[in-house]
Amino acid sequence: QVQLVESGGGLVQAGGSLRLSCTASRSIASILAMGWYRRAPGKQRELVAIISSAGRTNYADSVTGRFTISRDNAKNTLYLQMNGLKEEDTGVYFCKAVIRLLDYWGQGTQVTVSS
């Protein structure tokens, strides 16, 4: 089991940057997959980026080249650096950890991008 707490969301103008953090209640070094997802207003939750324990990453096409996912195992923290933010990036961002085939989710953090 793990508890995940996201932070770093807020209101930012288009073109700006934010860094989201997801702090875990236990060591993440052995967690094979962690990721960021988002739910835009009126839409279903979608994958933004994932990272394996080996550091392999994968991104949604809509964020490739703008967002960077990383993990700091020493701090038990997952990050999402978001640059070049667009209005369509607005939504609630969630982090997820997959442990023994079970999904664990944080409560989410709101990101609002204004024009």
Side-chain angles (χ1 to χ4, degrees):
Q1 271 191 327
V2 65
Q3 283 75 49
L4 303 170
V5 179
E6 300 97 334
S7 61
L11 174 64
V12 64
Q13 285 191 328
S17 299
L18 284 174
R19 187 176 81 156
L20 305 183
S21 300
C22 171
T23 301
S25 60
R26 47 152 280 185
S27 172
I28 65 170
S30 61
I31 298 178
L32 296 181
M34 299 188 73
W36 287 97
Y37 293 71
R38 68 186 179 193
R39 185 175 63 234
K43 296 185 178 181
Q44 293 198 349
R45 190 158 50 189
E46 63 176 356
L47 171 70
V48 175
I50 56 174
I51 185 169
S52 72
S53 56
R56 295 176 63 180
T57 59
N58 195 21
Y59 297 90
D61 289 343
S62 60
V63 306
T64 297
R66 299 187 298 122
F67 291 10
T68 303
I69 188 172
S70 61
R71 58 194 289 172
D72 187 335
N73 292 339
K75 295 182 178 180
N76 298 337
T77 302
L78 178 73
Y79 299 101
L80 184 69
Q81 178 66 44
M82 306 186 294
N83 299 326
L85 282 161
K86 304 176 181 180
E87 286 185 77
E88 52 263 42
D89 295 319
T90 293
V92 180
Y93 284 68
F94 302 87
C95 71
K96 185 181 87 169
V98 181
I99 302 173
R100 296 178 182 173
L101 301 181
L102 294 178
D103 294 344
Y104 295 87
W105 294 91
Q107 83 290 348
T109 185
Q110 176 71 44
V111 172
T112 303
V113 184
S114 65
S115 60

